[in-house]
Amino acid sequence: MSTEDTMHNNEHDHDHHGNFWTTYVFSTDHKMIAKQFLISGIIWALLGGALSVIFRLQLGFPDMDLSWLKPVLGEWIDIQGKLDPEFYLALVTMHGTIMVFFVLTAGLSGTFSNFLIPLQIGARDMASGFMNMLSYWFFFTSSTIMFISLFLETGPASGGWVIYPPLSALPQAMSGSGLGMTMWLVAMALFIVSTLLGGINYITTIINMRTDGMSFTKLPLTIWAFFLTAIIGLLSFPVLLSAALLLIFDRSFGTSFYLSEIYIGGEALPNTGGSPILFQHLFWFLGHPEVYIVLLPSLGITSEIIATNSRKPIFGYRAMIGSMLGIAILSFVVWAHHMFVTGMNPFLGSIFTLLTLIIAIPSAVKVFNYLTTLWKGNLIFTPAMLFSIGLVSYFISGGLTGLFMGNSAIDIQIHDTYFIVAHFHLVMGSAAFFGMLAGVYHWFPKMFGRMMDAKLGYIHFWFTFIGVYLIFFPMHYIGIAGFPRRYYSWTNFDTFNGFTDLNMFVSIAAIFTFVAQFIFLFNFFYSMFKGRRATANPWKSTTLEWTTPVDPGHGNWPGDIPKVYRWPYDLGKPVNDEYAAKFSDEEMKNVPDFIPQNIPFSKTPETNFPNENELIALEDEDDKAIEVK
Amino acid sequence: MNTQLHIMEEPKKTFTIHPKKFAMWLFITTVVMIFASLTSAYIVRQAEGNWLIFELPKILWVNSGIILFSSIFMHWAYVSAKNDNTKNVKIGIGAVAILGFTFLIGQVMAWGDLVNSNIFLVGNPSGSFVYVLTGLHSIHLVGGLIFLLIVLKSTIKLKVHSKNMAQIEMCTTFWHFLGGLWLYLFIFLLLYR
Amino acid sequence: MFQVVIGIGILLVVLILFMLFRIGTLLDVVKGSNQKVVTKSNKVNAALFVVLLVIGFGWIFIYSYVYFDDYNLPLASEHGVETDYMFWVTMAITGVVFLITHILLFIFPIRYSYEENKRALFFPENHKLELIWTIVPAVVLSVLIFKGLQVWGDITSKAPEDAEVVEVMGQQFAWTPRYPGSDNRLGDFDYRLIGDDNKMGVDFTDDGSYDDFIPREIHLPKGKPVLFKIRARDVIHSVYAPHFRVKMDAVPGMPTSFHFVPTKTTAEMRVETGNAEFNYELACAEICGRGHFAMRMIIVVDTPEEYEKWKSEQTSLVAQNEILFNLVPDDKKELAKVKGKVKTEVAAVESSEEVKK
Ligand code: HEM
Ligand SMILES: [Cu+2]
Ligand SMILES: [Cu+2]
């Protein structure tokens, strides 16, 4: 053990420690894999954002000459410089797929679960570094295939990110349903394998590799969030795999799982007896849990950041865990709220209305707990803290609109309008993105040993925070006015032919927000090499990752893994009456306002509560017991 | 001020399970989810009507017997390994592998029977589902066979014995799971005609 | 040339920004402000939340107040009154919650921003509070659900017997309506019968089909229940009539339906909106391919008298197109002639006219 540890100390001499390939490419170190996921996620986010800018140009400036995009889009821009309507749908589809799966699932969970799980539970690495590496490379292969599909002559998949058949099953219906859709399915199958490998690893690690004392009631909320996310993923992604499998059979082998009584392209297809609705049930059985797979990690990250930067414990630690558990369980029984107007049995619709509105309760609890954590805190606005507050704001505004749509009677009118687009971009898209950005700002010092520039972070935050609201808030209005989503243009309808100005406004806001992300990019890459050197615990935080050296090497801790004695939120703990009576003002001031998890109670008599003092004796015995061994 | 806190625990060792075995159970969970969703899809689809009813091939009964039988051998091999009886382990695993292979052949023959009674992959979903369910199960069984061969190889290298049970234990679990999964599918298909 | 200038300009701006950034960071190091826990920025950020709160909510309220009518889609159905009412009740409740939570969220930053010698309140738990904010939302939600389910039950109940039946079929990329004619019975259909002439796949061996007609616009009677029987020919579409608050997917192989009562004629709506051009429209709300955004059909709501008159003026399918008439089995041709009011000689002429239009 000890020789191994000294080896870790010499990590930076990088003489005996692997070559370029094993260190940076086929690495099995969880921190490197996390960075790989992060960088891939950032690249995908840029691409996904760029796609949205193109279709926002179409919506905001329908008369614009897009010829200048010809070098990139080629045939998809016609001679008059108009975007092809089918490619518009391809853009929307790929934007959704990329953002939901590649950025906010792989980029977010992949980065932070990998990075934080071993560091925060006190483990040297993941349960299986090899599986972890496989997980990344499956993701990479999947990404490559999805990326290549963007350049197919027939276009990438274009049937919406939910790929409802028959549209996605029949190349006659749209050209994107040909090879593009095949590649989409292959890429997603690989993606699912990647997610499952990752998830199995996360769960195994959290269950089996916690350091001594790290019971489930002492886990940071981040870990709880990652844990539940992985479980949700493990239970729901296989279902998407089934759905995709049956779709592949329908597409390639002529079965009729989802196809029935179709006349298309001048001929009646032989398929009968299939049910398109079946696909929707299977898809949304994944699809709804998926939105929480996207959101929960962000909620975990912000819980941690808000507590740290409020200098007080997260309010209602147990309630937070409880609400996440509630959300995780309920997320499996609400899927059909996406299908109220599919002609599904109305009684089922009632049941799902009921269950859907129940899921709003744990969400509300989380919001109130965040607010109470801020209340009477000593708030430090690091960029990470700002983004966390931003997340709470989006979570509220997007969650509230859920109450409209969860009510099946109201949903009839607003289903598939821009109201939905506003809802999920706020509550899922932007909130999860903010969680991710907050996480990057917060853990950057641990990832790269340097600090990101705070001022640029502030500018980035305010531009993005306001920008996102400027994009999505007006969409509620457009949605209330009835505008359907996934429309190439609205000029064909008198009903929808107003609001050109508003659409233009939204598009400008979108471009503005997109451009603002380059501030982050610059900050990120610049700070990686030139940023101010970080200290080991720059935010005065309590969790275990901050007890590692500035640049934790392979194995994370040079010496023994720290043991855990207390919960992760001993922030701003008051001096107890006994000591308050005898401490001078100066002494009072010097009591630190945070106590890391690895500090035994015996070292902090001045802040212990009576029941904690009782534990001290035991601690000592335990230490001895281990030493004897 | 509220001073009522959570109860502190001692830094005692955390509860752990063998990570590989645990990961294997998680993998089994995902497989369960796949088949659970497919059989749910089957029920949902069946409820919508236009559902062709046909006889399942009789040979599936035989196949079910075979796979049950193979599980007995698997258990025997496992117990033998516990008793360090390498020879019996080898015989046991070999027998399981042969039975598993026979099962696969039996499944292919069942498909042949289906074709003979004019039930094709392409056609009414009631038939397609049978093909997909059996096919997907067979693919997992092939995975199980490969696992068996790996264990067989370790056994030949004398790496499987009472002090080193993890691998054969996992293999046993997986094989029993595959058997159980098949029985579930078979009974499901018998009940939901 | 022009592009080059712009390019150089952008480059210069970026460079200048970069220099400013470098100087800023260097100054920070000189001043030592990078060593402190918080800098002046802390107060600035906190204050910005308040600024945003005031400007943001001010803007939202004023804009919503001034432009309310622009966004409030005119309403013309019975159940729409209920759903719109619920929508605005939900809006009121969520609006209040939105306002309160945001006031707290955006005021706390400035109220509790960092002070060197302050200690945050150690406040990890309070069961009473937690219980309250679990129960209060639960109660409010129950009320919303209760009302919602009631309305939902009405909307999705069985259509009244006397409802006017209109079949609406979606296809890439148009809607086709079919009326049952004077016998009030839609003829059977089979997707295998679909062809260039018989685009809805009507089965002309069925007596019910002889007086069916396919108009170019959908007409509906005011004040009478209407039942849309909805199906799709190729992929999923969704019947969306925004003014009637009607939306229902059109699914191939799985007919669906929606019934409602139109409450205002097109003419009345023209007066109400002050728009002489006003028309009710039918749109598609489910992505269905390249022409998804252009699946428009006009819906006209008439007074019951006008409606009956319009109906009696329509030409049946068999009368419109000889090819379709020839699909009728010989022993039923007479019946078809009577029911479909076929004027044998002119049938062919009319259908060719039809094609020209
Ligand atoms: C407060 C609780 C919430 C309720 C009651 C709710 C309800 C709903 C309903 C009923 C729909 C379907 C609307 C329609 O298509 O007509 C929907 C769509 C959606 N929701 Fe939520 N939601 C809630 C929170 C969330 C959260 C937390 C997320 C993400 C993290 C989320 C993500 C989405 C997404 C992505 C869609 C749209 C999917 C699509 O059609 O493309 N929702 N929500
Ligand atoms: Cu959902
Ligand atoms: Cu459409």
Side-chain angles (χ1 to χ4, degrees), chain A residues 263 269 312 316 319 341 346 357 372 378-379 381 393 413 415-416 462 477 482 487 492 494-495 526 573, chain C residues 22 42 45 64 102 112 114-115 119 121 124 130 133 145 152 172 191 233 240 247 249 281 284-285 296:
Chain A
Y263 176 91
L269 303 184
K312 69 192 277 253
V341 299
L357 294 187
T372 317
N378 204 10
L379 311 181
F381 299 104
S393 171
Q413 175 69 1
H415 170 69
D416 267 348
W462 286 107
Y477 293 74
Y487 265 35
N492 286 290
D494 302 339
T495 315
Y526 178 85
K573 214 174 175 194
Chain C
R22 279 303 292 168
N42 215 51
N45 280 315
S64 306
H102 270 78
Y112 302 113
Y114 187 84
E115 279 160 42
R119 240 180 137 84
L121 171 66
E130 288 168 85
W133 60 50
I145 293 179
W152 171 252
Q172 286 182 325
Y191 83 105
R233 201 168 89 165
Y240 176 35
K247 191 176 287 131
D249 284 1
E281 288 174 312
C284 179
R296 174 175 188 252

Side-chain angles (χ1 to χ4, degrees), chain A residues 2-23:
Chain A
S2 63
T3 45
E4 198 185 315
D5 285 331
T6 36
M7 260 169 59
H8 291 308
N9 272 336
N10 303 337
E11 234 257 302
H12 297 288
D13 308 351
H14 59 77
D15 39 14
H16 54 272
H17 235 283
N19 57 14
F20 173 80
W21 288 97
T22 52
T23 316

Side-chain angles (χ1 to χ4, degrees), chain B residues 57-126:
Chain B
K58 290 275 174 298
I59 191 168
L60 290 183
W61 287 96
V62 180
N63 292 349
S64 306
I66 291 175
I67 200 126
L68 266 182
F69 206 50
S70 74
S71 262
I72 297 173
F73 271 102
M74 192 72 233
H75 189 70
W76 182 62
Y78 171 72
V79 174
S80 308
K82 234 181 183 167
N83 299 332
D84 288 326
N85 189 341
T86 309
K87 184 160 150 258
N88 283 359
V89 177
K90 277 187 251 179
I91 296 174
I93 292 180
V96 176
I98 291 168
L99 285 172
F101 196 70
T102 321
F103 174 84
L104 281 181
I105 295 174
Q107 294 293 76
V108 174
M109 283 164 67
W111 285 4
D113 286 357
L114 282 175
V115 169
N116 285 339
S117 49
N118 277 333
I119 303 294
F120 303 104
L121 171 65
V122 175
N124 191 290
S126 66

Side-chain angles (χ1 to χ4, degrees), chain A residues 288 291 334 337-338:
Chain A
H288 188 84
V291 305
V334 299
H337 65 210
H338 297 271

Side-chain angles (χ1 to χ4, degrees), chain C residues 106-229:
Chain C
F106 286 6
I107 295 280
F108 283 171
I110 192 122
R111 177 69 185 72
Y112 302 113
S113 68
Y114 187 84
E115 279 160 42
E116 192 73 49
N117 296 320
K118 194 178 77 178
R119 240 180 137 84
L121 171 66
F122 190 81
F123 186 50
E125 235 166 17
N126 181 328
H127 291 303
K128 209 193 274 163
L129 266 182
E130 288 168 85
L131 212 61
I132 290 176
W133 60 50
T134 312
I135 290 175
V136 170
V139 171
V140 174
L141 284 171
S142 318
V143 176
L144 286 178
I145 293 179
F146 181 72
K147 177 84 175 134
L149 289 185
Q150 216 178 340
V151 176
W152 171 252
D154 289 346
I155 295 174
T156 54
S157 61
K158 230 171 123 40
E161 287 294 328
D162 62 337
E164 281 294 319
V165 175
V166 185
E167 188 184 40
V168 182
M169 185 192 77
Q171 75 198 61
Q172 286 182 325
F173 296 99
W175 298 106
T176 318
R178 180 166 66 126
Y179 283 74
S182 42
D183 66 354
N184 275 332
R185 197 168 82 74
L186 284 165
D188 289 343
F189 65 87
D190 185 328
Y191 83 105
R192 276 165 298 205
L193 298 174
I194 298 178
D196 287 342
D197 290 287
N198 190 2
K199 55 183 173 175
M200 293 184 89
V202 179
D203 178 1
F204 287 100
T205 62
D206 177 18
D207 305 353
S209 67
Y210 302 143
D211 56 351
D212 293 0
F213 62 90
I214 297 183
R216 210 160 308 132
E217 293 171 345
I218 297 178
H219 279 244
L220 303 174
K222 173 187 162 179
K224 280 189 72 179
V226 174
L227 172 64
F228 276 173
K229 290 194 164 175

Side-chain angles (χ1 to χ4, degrees), chain A residues 120 220-222 300-308 443 541 543 569:
Chain A
Q120 289 198 331
L221 286 173
T222 31
I301 287 171
T302 47
S303 306
E304 188 70 26
I305 294 174
I306 287 185
T308 302
W443 279 286
S541 194
T543 39
Y569 298 104

Side-chain angles (χ1 to χ4, degrees), chain C residues 18-37:
Chain C
F18 180 70
M19 292 309 292
L20 283 176
F21 164 72
R22 279 303 292 168
I23 294 168
T25 39
L26 287 178
L27 275 180
D28 274 353
V29 175
V30 173
K31 284 194 290 193
S33 52
N34 59 350
Q35 303 297 329
K36 287 202 219 124
V37 182

